[in-house]
Amino acid sequence: MPPLHAAPDSRRSRRALRAPRPKRHRVRTVFLALVSTFALVAVGFALNPTGDPSHIPDAFELAAPRDGAVVSRSGDRAADPTSAAPTAAETPTAPASVAPEPGSGPAPEPEPEPEPAPEPAPEPEPAAPTMVEEIVTRTNEERAAAGLPALAVSDCAAQQAVARTALLVAENRFEHDPLEPILEACAARAVGENLALGYPTALAVVAGWMGSDGHRANILSTRYTHIGVGCTDGPRGMLCAQVFVA
């Protein structure tokens, strides 16, 4: 019969059986240590994405959300000097208007030129004095030179002078007719008459009368206050008459 070996102590046999276990326990321990180290590194990287190993997150950073939203907090702790300043929201701007290219639209109509202001109508030139008016003027000038007052124009005396010269020209006469009709027509107290024929101008007519004593006496008489003159053109020239009344 084969030799029998004594049975080993049960506790020893267990130790002998368990002897290899410490080896497997060490492998598990190393594996757990590596996993823990990797987890710690991953947590540190998540908490410090910049990769700065010297940065240790504080309690506020651990409590802050990681989605990037801004969270307000109270306290006297100074803000991180490296944090960026808040940026303002950009306001949408309206697209810049594009100026129309030259010639792309209808050309503007030229503004009408203002119409020139109408020139003021020229003032009518005063009509040249008639020969009758000039004779009255020259007669009063001669009276003024002699220190006498001017004679006023009498319509009645002027009508008598025109009628008398027209009659003389019609009858081809050059002479004095009776003066009584003038006294009656003009209700005058005194009357005188001067006649001139063939003088071209009023100045020449008065100058001819002033060169005659009888005619001059009528022009410079102090009795008369009014005068009337009439002229009629005839075959022998202009026939003019002065009629003096008072």
Side-chain angles (χ1 to χ4, degrees):
M1 115 179 266
L4 298 174
H5 294 284
D9 185 59
S10 61
R11 287 177 293 179
R12 179 180 293 182
S13 61
R14 289 193 191 101
R15 284 195 297 267
L17 292 174
R18 292 177 182 174
R21 291 184 181 177
K23 187 175 182 179
R24 290 195 298 270
H25 178 71
R26 285 195 299 271
V27 172
R28 187 187 310 163
T29 303
V30 172
F31 176 75
L32 292 176
L34 290 176
V35 172
S36 299
T37 302
F38 178 77
L40 290 175
V41 171
V43 171
F45 179 79
L47 296 177
N48 186 17
T50 60
D52 186 5
S54 62
H55 177 73
I56 300 174
D58 58 8
F60 293 104
E61 292 177 345
L62 292 176
R66 307 311 300 174
D67 56 358
V70 177
V71 178
S72 63
R73 63 185 179 182
S74 62
D76 297 332
R77 187 172 181 274
D80 185 2
T82 61
S83 60
T87 58
E90 296 183 358
T91 303
T93 58
S97 59
V98 180
E101 296 181 359
S104 61
E109 297 182 1
E111 296 183 359
E113 296 182 359
E115 297 182 359
E119 297 182 359
E123 296 182 359
E125 296 181 0
T130 63
M131 190 172 186
V132 169
E133 292 172 342
E134 287 184 352
I135 289 174
V136 173
T137 299
R138 290 297 300 165
T139 299
N140 281 327
E141 288 176 355
E142 294 292 344
R143 287 176 64 86
L148 300 173
L151 299 174
V153 175
S154 168
D155 292 337
C156 179
Q159 291 172 4
Q160 291 295 318
V162 170
R164 292 169 75 86
T165 56
L167 179 62
L168 292 175
V169 169
E171 295 178 356
N172 195 21
R173 295 185 298 114
F174 180 62
E175 59 185 0
H176 290 285
D177 286 335
L179 299 177
E180 286 76 15
I182 300 175
L183 292 174
E184 294 179 2
C186 298
R189 293 177 290 104
V191 60
E193 181 183 60
N194 287 339
L195 297 177
L197 177 63
Y199 290 88
T201 63
L203 180 62
V205 171
V206 175
W209 285 332
M210 291 296 293
S212 168
D213 292 340
H215 299 88
R216 177 186 177 89
N218 281 337
I219 292 174
L220 300 180
S221 174
T222 58
R223 286 193 306 170
Y224 305 128
T225 57
H226 292 76
I227 187 176
V229 177
C231 296
T232 301
D233 192 12
R236 293 187 289 176
M238 192 71 67
L239 176 59
C240 293
Q242 280 181 319
V243 175
F244 303 92
V245 293

